[in-house]
Amino acid sequence: MAWLLLVLAGLLEACWAIGIVYTKGFTKPWPTVFVAVTLAISMWLLAIASRTIPIGTAYAVWVGIGACITAIYGIWKFDEAASPARIVFLALLITAIVGLKFSAR
């Protein structure tokens, strides 16, 4: 159950990270509310998951999920660079996240 909560926390981490762009420097009220709510829930779920998953592993997985999704979204939606090297490093990040999951106690 902790791993499921951690994955959900990572997905919400990507939501607030991506949402920051839509706040236009926190001048748009509804996107700002979205960022604040998803940030709070993401942190709360991370805290719950870290009760049973070591914090080093939980934090790395949380950040990794958010970073991967945010980078992929940036490539897809914001025309950010999708160079072969960037794709390889995203794949390495995903590999590291999976590795952390399977190597955790």
Side-chain angles (χ1 to χ4, degrees):
M1 183 65 164
W3 281 99
L4 180 62
L5 293 176
L6 183 58
V7 168
L8 183 56
L11 294 173
L12 289 170
E13 198 248 351
C15 289
W16 67 258
I18 293 165
I20 288 174
V21 172
Y22 296 100
T23 69
K24 305 290 185 201
F26 297 107
T27 62
K28 302 285 185 183
W30 289 116
T32 299
V33 169
F34 175 80
V35 167
V37 169
T38 55
L39 173 61
I41 296 169
S42 178
M43 291 281 189
W44 178 65
L45 292 173
L46 173 63
I48 292 170
S50 68
R51 290 177 186 164
T52 55
I53 300 169
I55 190 61
T57 301
Y59 182 73
V61 169
W62 179 72
V63 168
I65 291 170
C68 280
I69 293 170
T70 303
I72 291 166
Y73 188 87
I75 290 168
W76 173 57
K77 210 53 170 160
F78 301 131
D79 295 321
E80 293 178 4
S83 67
R86 191 164 188 198
I87 301 303
V88 166
F89 287 117
L90 280 170
L92 286 171
L93 186 52
I94 292 166
T95 302
I97 293 166
V98 171
L100 284 169
K101 194 294 184 216
F102 288 111
S103 65
R105 295 191 235 159

